[in-house]
Amino acid sequence: MSITNPATSTASPFQQRSLQTVWHPCTQMKAHETFPLVPIVRGEGVWLYDADGNGYLDAIGSWWVNLFGHTNPKINAAIKDQLDKIEHVMLAGFTHEPVIELSERLKAITPGNLGHCFYASDGASATEIALKMSFHYWQLAGKTGKTQFVSLQNDYHGETLGSLSVTDVAIFKKTYAPLLRPCTHVMTPDWRYANEGETAENYALRAAAALEEHLAKHHAETAALIIEPLIQGAMGMGMYHPVYLERAREICDQYQVHLIADEIAVGFGRTGTMFACNQANMTPDFLCLAKGLSGGYLPLSVVLTTDTVYQQFYDDSSAHAFLHSHTHTGNALACRAALAVLDIFERGNVLETNRTKAKYLNDAAVALSAHPKVRDFRNCGMIWAFEVDTEIEQFSQKFFQAGLKQKLLLRPLGKTVYFMPPYIITEEEIDLLINGTLHILDTL
Ligand SMILES: *Cc1c(COP(=O)(O)O)cnc(C)c1O
């Protein structure tokens, strides 16, 4: 049976086919009656091209995953080379060179003594793994009362039931509340909530005091604190001072609570350092990585943990093992893409080049940050965000549509506009991004 709805009357045949069978993510499908889908046929660098040959600058890295551009020659070559060797083999009872090399290299570049790598395919699965591992660790350690998790107010950790339980974003969570585990969301360190005259650092310290107060009372039943380090992405790119990470580590140590760092969005250089935790010299008990791990090419995620956690599971009994699996765990093609990404970081002075680009963008954005409709213009590493003062309904959709006319892919979170471009963006492309954004603000 084919579905006919008004959307299909104005849509091109390409768009019609998608609307009839593809249920798009995070989308009210009826909205496509008014807002057409953008059919993409190819990509190159920061550019995506539609079926008519129009280019769009991918200013949000295709949902925060793309680091080095679309169809990057080095990543393409690595995947093609791997394709003729072995595309995938189950990781239970088998192993292969790409997954070994990737684990060794992640161990070498991540903070402290992290070095046991458990793989999955997407970010939410990584969050689930970290939560289950932490809980199971405490069970094995005889602390069977530790069954609860704590996260930050406004945190996002994915949308499967376990990860949604520790997420605090109402639009994703409200409907499913009866299905979720209770979770305490302690005060966010996001400086947008600071009192007037209070520094970001003092506000972060005040939030840390709230965490301490909670754990002082509830550490006996708390397995782990899970946080988005430095940037709370989904709730409008809230940014906070690294001192919070430092204090959170001390407090978790003091009360014997695991610290799970969800660097799914911010890992691999987004905050200016390879990992956000580096800025506080902090080693979590679990580090979740995904998104940029494969350069945004293929679904791949990993949880790194410590010897202490690993040893707790190491036993003659299989009941003591971490009996968790995802079918595509350690996929060889995805691991090769990730190795190519690490090669680019090692050989390309990426973090240094990014600092120069960030400075260029901040200089170019002076008029934007001073625009009368713009509030709280902020930057951390290769992420920029600002609030737009507007009463326009469906602002995000309309901004997105106006962006396309300026050759820009921008998808505001509510009234927060943000840039999270691939690191290969050029100065010319930055100018286009800033001027296009200004134009949208002036004309919308
Ligand atoms: C995107 C994201 C996730 C979920 O990853 P998926 O691959 O979409 O499941 C979890 N945590 C953070 C911080 C994220 O940004």
Side-chain angles (χ1 to χ4, degrees), residues 64 122-125 127 156-158 228 262 264-265 291:
W64 323 351
D122 52 54
S125 310
T127 306
Y156 177 89
H157 299 290
E228 290 183 82
D262 175 353
I264 288 166
K291 293 200 166 107

Side-chain angles (χ1 to χ4, degrees), residues 140-402:
L140 294 171
K143 299 253 164 86
T144 52
K146 284 182 172 285
T147 60
Q148 305 297 315
F149 300 105
V150 175
S151 78
L152 300 179
Q153 174 199 355
N154 291 350
D155 253 7
Y156 177 89
H157 299 290
E159 291 163 56
T160 55
L161 294 177
S163 62
L164 193 57
S165 292
V166 292
T167 287
D168 181 39
V169 180
I171 52 160
F172 299 136
K173 194 164 178 173
K174 224 170 112 203
T175 311
Y176 306 103
L179 304 180
L180 305 176
R181 308 189 77 249
C183 170
T184 305
H185 306 290
V186 292
M187 178 175 166
T188 173
D190 174 355
W191 63 255
R192 286 178 298 174
Y193 296 87
N195 291 331
E196 226 175 292
E198 189 176 30
T199 64
E201 183 170 6
N202 283 340
Y203 180 68
L205 287 169
R206 192 148 65 83
L211 169 67
E212 177 159 20
E213 196 180 325
H214 178 81
L215 290 186
K217 278 194 210 123
H218 298 288
H219 60 91
E221 64 262 26
T222 305
L225 165 73
I226 178 167
I227 56 174
E228 290 183 82
L230 293 190
I231 297 176
Q232 296 185 287
M235 272 300 265
M237 299 293 163
M239 300 184 182
Y240 64 85
H241 195 281
V243 75
Y244 187 84
L245 300 178
E246 220 172 282
R247 284 295 295 134
R249 179 69 275 180
E250 289 165 3
I251 295 163
C252 286
D253 283 343
Q254 184 184 343
Y255 291 106
Q256 287 203 18
V257 167
H258 284 143
L259 203 169
I260 302 171
D262 175 353
E263 294 219 21
I264 288 166
V266 296
F268 300 99
R270 266 298 157 195
T271 65
T273 44
M274 193 61 170
F275 301 100
C277 289
N278 295 143
Q279 295 189 34
N281 223 338
M282 187 274 268
T283 306
D285 300 288
F286 301 91
L287 176 66
C288 303
L289 302 172
K291 293 200 166 107
L293 171 61
S294 70
Y297 262 64
L298 288 159
L300 180 68
S301 64
V302 63
V303 178
L304 284 105
T305 190
T306 60
D307 276 338
T308 312
V309 171
Y310 180 77
Q311 287 304 332
Q312 189 66 251
F313 290 81
Y314 204 80
D315 193 89
D316 290 325
S317 153
S318 67
H320 278 216
F322 188 58
L323 299 182
H324 180 105
S325 58
H326 295 283
T327 308
H328 277 97
T329 291
N331 175 267
L333 290 172
C335 289
R336 274 302 292 275
L339 287 169
V341 165
L342 295 184
D343 286 344
I344 298 173
F345 270 108
E346 272 175 26
R347 290 169 207 162
N349 269 336
V350 174
L351 298 178
E352 221 174 287
T353 314
N354 281 357
R355 273 194 283 281
T356 312
K357 286 187 187 181
K359 181 168 184 321
Y360 183 87
L361 196 152
N362 283 324
D363 290 345
V366 169
L368 179 60
S369 59
H371 192 280
K373 284 188 197 160
V374 170
R375 279 188 295 115
D376 289 343
F377 185 91
R378 54 198 181 275
N379 163 234
C380 177
M382 290 296 279
I383 304 182
W384 289 262
F386 57 88
E387 258 55 61
V388 179
D389 250 330
T390 177
E391 298 303 319
I392 299 175
E393 277 180 36
Q394 290 183 300
F395 168 78
S396 173
Q397 279 276 18
K398 286 175 185 157
F399 195 99
F400 168 74
Q401 291 298 327

